[in-house]
Amino acid sequence: MRAAETTVRTDVLISGLGTALAGVSGPGALLDPPDTALGTDPVDALRGPGLRYKDRATKLALCAARDALADAGLLGTDGDLTVDGADFGVVVSSNWGNVDTVCDASATIRRSTYKATSPMLLPNTASNVTASWVAITHGLRGANVTLTNGPTSGLDAVHWARTLIAAGRLRRALVIGVEPVNEPVRHLVGDAEPLFDGAVALVAEAADAVRDRGGTPLARIGRYARAGDPARALAAVRDDEDTPPDAWWLPERPLPPATAGTTAPAGVPAYDLSARHGRCSGALGVLQCVAATAELTRTASRSMLATAGQGSTGGGPGEDDAAAALVLHRMPAPAGGGPS
Amino acid sequence: MSGLITGMGANCSVGADRAATFDALCAGRTGLAPLRGFEPANFRARNAYEIDDRAAPGEDRPLRPTRWLLDAVAEALADAGMAEDLTDIPVVIGTTLRELRSVELNWCDGTPFDPADLHFGTALRRRFRAGRTYTVANACAASLYALGMAADLLDLGEADTVVVAGADTITESTYGMLDRVYHKAPDAVRPFDRDRRGMLQGDGAAAVVLHRSPPPGTRPYARVRGVGVNCDASHPSAPDAESIGRVMRDAHARAGVKPADIDLVLLHGTGTPHNDVAEAQALVDVFAGVETPPRMTAVKSMIGHTAGASGLHSLITAVQSLASGRVPPTLGLADPIEEMAGFRLGSEPVVDPDLSLAQIDSFGFGGLNAVAVVEKVA
């Protein structure tokens, strides 16, 4: 199969990171043990009208989005965007994002008919509601995409941000991975293990867009592949690499009753973010890219390999449908321009 | 941009396959029927455009949209002369509600449901060995958004062949909340009519096979000339006529065409008071000064709002209209709104052999807009 970077000539860089996760102070702390002193819910800090009609996924995403934009230097002192929103897009990854609204509303209708529902919640029944509010909040009028694509969804979202930029549709994209925890999500996914309840975000920009505004690139998005099994995805992203990555960010186990385990590669440091932060589902790939970018900027590492999804091992319930892999590269020092 | 359409599949309330659907549309047949999926006593609205494949009224079962999607993809592959093997072929699926109806049945009734089936990749892998699948939940603009994303993959050389699809059903939550929103419950979808009351949902799926260059021996139906996408970034549900106008102009620019070149417009036309006016205002603005305005039609008048699948339902209709010259009616259009007065839109089917370029409109919640331009391949 063809890895996605082979013919994409526009370098796409990561220029800002944000997290909205209780007990985590920021992107550089994602590998630390959770700090209970910082355990307040990030959405408590949100202010503004209409919050009561926004679902938890949307509130979490708004927190992470604001932090990533600020980290990239794209928000002015008034909080407004400092660049044109016309070619600034949004790509959100979430599998359980609006499950709560759908379950609550259907149960309300069964109990008390349609009259008991709130018309204000109608937009929340569509799974793109989070991406929509992020766009409205920051005036992002470019392509707006919501991926609800199973365990690989977060890496897929980073890939699509890069694709939309490389295709010239966008100059910039805000990529968000978010999963909320609530009773309908626990009912659907199971509560045998902790679930990730938070959002992470990164800003992806065309290399010249970062350069033109004097921004600081943090990492370059490299090859990506999605395939039916991990071996094929890995082979596609690694096929002309002669050195191993500096770290391998592991996929999470499929949902019970499927039981395939994660095999850590020999000789390369491996990080299992799900073991630290709970089952991440659609947020995982973005979380990996945020944590890996933070690692690239504070260590001498050259490249990071993120993997999500375990692919099929026999077709039973709970199994992942595919595996995805994505490589991030460090920026050459001194930072200030993309590699040509 | 140039993706060639070599295979198409579709199903909805009026037809189980692409040809049956197009024949029904051209004959002005409607899929409107009394609500079958849910307990009618819980709603004021009475009707919907459902696919009647349940064992008995009120006895709903999970995974219906997944089955329609598999049928549409299989039909499109057979139509394109391809084997049912999508190992290395990307599949981009647009949807508003994914398998959220199954989630409702799981939550309310305890119906077993595997969360791995909430996105469509799992079923596509089992049936077609597909590994590069993307479920794009982009509201009712989803399948034309998916078309634009797929076209980008072809343009960037990341794939030679792509399958684009759309699938949706009606959830109890959306049916009830739409019922709550409208002043009077709609009895039918009446796009652009002064008497329109709102939107009613429809079931269905659609799929097309796109190639960068036509494989030897295939005869493409049409060429995708360009797809524009954007986001209003102004309101979670209310449309923005200026933003819709911008995406129409963007689609024309990508396609390298002028408004006067467009022969046919497949309207989004949901029959809601605000959406139809916003689309009409954008059309008035974009087509201002065009001497002979394009023909227009709105197929939701017969199949309801098939949500994430609706853009592709319209596109597949447009491609067949270009090929055959047959244009379906806008069923029930008796008294068009003032903004549409200058356009050729009517309640009767027409035959026009001189159609070669079509515009397809698709808009959704969250201010999502997608417009495609397709050209007949002689």
Side-chain angles (χ1 to χ4, degrees):
Chain A
M1 69 181 294
R2 212 179 304 177
E5 197 189 21
T6 47
T7 48
V8 176
R9 282 179 291 273
T10 304
D11 273 339
V12 178
L13 310 178
I14 293 173
S15 62
L17 307 173
T19 60
L21 191 55
V24 173
S25 59
L30 286 167
L31 287 175
D32 300 339
D35 181 351
T36 49
L38 288 168
T40 52
D41 189 343
V43 308
D44 290 347
L46 278 179
R47 297 287 178 268
L51 277 178
R52 61 187 290 218
Y53 298 119
K54 293 191 176 80
D55 62 22
R56 177 158 181 83
T58 297
K59 291 180 197 172
L60 288 164
L62 287 172
C63 294
R66 177 201 58 210
D67 287 3
L69 290 171
D71 186 48
L74 289 166
L75 294 183
T77 49
D78 55 359
D80 287 350
L81 201 65
T82 56
V83 294
D84 188 0
D87 51 12
F88 202 146
V90 178
V91 185
V92 168
S93 168
S94 185
N95 288 314
W96 325 129
N98 71 330
V99 162
D100 53 354
T101 297
V102 169
C103 289
D104 292 345
S106 56
T108 297
I109 290 165
R110 296 277 184 104
R111 261 193 326 269
S112 315
T113 83
Y114 80 99
K115 289 181 188 167
T117 61
S118 164
M120 296 298 288
L121 295 179
L122 177 60
N124 298 13
T125 62
S127 303
N128 66 318
V129 65
T130 294
S132 152
W133 275 117
V134 170
I136 292 167
T137 302
H138 296 290
L140 309 177
R141 301 192 304 279
N144 185 288
V145 173
T146 296
L147 281 155
T148 54
N149 208 39
T152 66
S153 195
L155 292 182
D156 302 333
V158 176
H159 155 69
W160 277 108
R162 194 193 55 189
T163 300
L164 293 165
I165 291 169
R169 282 192 193 273
L170 299 175
R171 292 265 280 166
R172 303 179 170 87
L174 186 54
V175 184
I176 298 166
V178 57
E179 296 293 1
V181 176
N182 46 52
E183 198 46 42
V185 169
R186 284 195 200 93
H187 178 83
L188 178 67
V189 183
D191 54 6
E193 57 188 307
L195 301 177
F196 175 91
D197 182 29
V200 285
L202 61 86
V203 175
E205 296 187 74
D208 63 333
V210 190
R211 191 180 56 235
D212 291 352
R213 69 180 182 86
T216 305
L218 307 175
R220 176 170 63 88
I221 301 173
R223 289 187 172 200
Y224 156 92
R226 191 184 199 270
D229 64 77
R232 295 190 73 222
L234 281 174
V237 298
R238 299 271 313 150
D239 74 350
D240 64 353
E241 300 280 328
D242 49 11
T243 54
D246 294 290
W248 188 328
W249 304 78
L250 298 171
E252 60 195 6
R253 290 187 317 283
L255 284 167
T259 54
T262 297
T263 306
V268 176
Y271 299 114
D272 183 350
L273 289 170
S274 300
R276 287 165 194 264
H277 300 290
R279 173 171 290 283
C280 302
S281 194
L284 179 66
V286 185
L287 180 70
Q288 290 171 326
C289 288
V290 168
T293 300
E295 282 295 284
L296 285 171
T297 58
R298 72 189 182 101
T299 65
S301 303
R302 291 181 309 155
S303 73
M304 297 278 165
L305 174 63
T307 52
Q310 307 247 7
S312 166
T313 57
E319 278 210 336
D320 296 351
D321 63 310
L326 184 139
V327 178
L328 295 181
H329 301 277
R330 112 178 133 181
M331 298 304 302
S340 55
Chain B
M1 174 178 359
S2 60
L4 288 155
I5 297 173
T6 60
M8 303 189 289
N11 51 67
C12 62
S13 56
V14 302
D17 60 36
R18 189 252 301 170
T21 297
F22 187 66
D23 286 344
L25 293 176
C26 290
R29 280 205 294 276
T30 180
L32 187 71
L35 182 67
R36 303 181 188 100
F38 323 130
E39 170 54 52
N42 288 337
F43 305 95
R44 178 186 52 165
R46 287 281 164 264
N47 299 330
Y49 298 80
E50 294 168 276
I51 291 178
D52 189 12
D53 61 357
R54 297 183 186 88
E59 280 185 28
D60 209 354
R61 54 189 179 126
L63 298 174
R64 292 165 69 242
T66 294
R67 281 188 283 272
W68 307 327
L69 171 69
L70 296 179
D71 287 348
V73 170
E75 186 188 0
L77 291 176
D79 192 31
M82 290 166 60
E84 290 198 359
D85 181 355
L86 295 173
T87 303
D88 284 329
I89 295 177
V91 186
V92 190
I93 312 104
T95 182
T96 299
L97 298 169
R98 318 180 257 163
E99 274 292 349
L100 286 168
R101 175 57 183 157
S102 299
V103 170
E104 289 183 343
L105 293 170
N106 177 254
W107 177 250
C108 292
D109 300 330
T111 306
F113 176 66
D114 181 353
D117 287 316
L118 184 52
H119 66 295
F120 296 114
T122 304
L124 290 165
R125 171 177 58 75
R126 288 181 187 139
R127 171 76 183 268
F128 303 110
R129 293 200 286 270
R132 294 173 72 186
T133 53
Y134 301 99
T135 298
V136 176
N138 261 29
C140 299
S143 53
L144 289 195
Y145 244 92
L147 181 74
M149 293 164 71
D152 287 353
L153 290 183
L154 296 182
D155 285 351
L156 289 168
E158 289 193 21
D160 298 319
T161 304
V162 185
V163 175
V164 184
D168 256 309
T169 187
I170 308 169
T171 58
E172 213 164 343
S173 50
T174 47
Y175 191 81
M177 288 165 97
L178 283 165
D179 204 357
R180 180 80 177 72
V181 165
Y182 297 127
H183 179 61
K184 281 170 74 179
D187 57 347
V189 176
R190 291 199 182 81
F192 302 101
D193 195 277
R194 286 177 206 266
D195 192 28
R196 71 197 183 285
R197 291 191 208 159
M199 176 256 282
L200 290 169
Q201 294 160 279
D203 288 330
V208 299
V209 177
L210 269 187
H211 291 284
R212 196 143 56 123
S213 52
T218 54
R219 189 166 171 274
Y221 291 103
R223 181 184 298 277
V224 177
R225 290 280 300 256
V227 185
V229 302
N230 75 355
C231 176
D232 300 343
S234 58
H235 192 276
S237 56
D240 176 339
E242 277 186 35
S243 181
I244 290 171
R246 277 195 297 273
V247 83
M248 287 178 185
R249 290 194 173 90
D250 182 45
H252 293 171
R254 287 170 185 276
V257 304
K258 301 184 296 296
D261 300 330
I262 303 287
D263 302 308
L264 174 68
V265 178
L266 267 285
L267 299 156
H268 185 60
T270 57
T272 59
H274 297 302
N275 281 301
D276 286 0
V277 169
E279 184 175 14
Q281 287 171 341
L283 289 163
V284 167
D285 185 39
V286 169
F287 287 91
V290 172
E291 204 166 303
T292 308
R295 294 190 183 280
M296 298 188 181
T297 190
V299 296
K300 289 183 184 66
S301 59
M302 291 169 280
I303 65 173
H305 195 345
T306 53
S310 69
L312 267 194
H313 275 138
S314 289
L315 180 133
I316 289 170
T317 304
V319 169
Q320 292 175 98
S321 290
L322 296 181
S324 67
R326 299 157 69 202
V327 179
T330 301
L331 193 69
L333 181 68
D335 188 8
I337 60 173
E338 186 183 344
E339 290 84 348
M340 295 302 276
F343 294 126
R344 295 193 287 166
L345 171 72
S347 60
E348 296 297 323
V350 296
V351 175
D352 182 346
D354 297 324
L355 306 174
S356 68
L357 262 182
Q359 168 183 325
I360 302 97
D361 291 353
S362 185
F363 316 122
F365 272 179
L368 298 189
N369 306 308
V371 171
V373 174
V374 299
E375 180 182 32
K376 174 178 170 176
V377 176

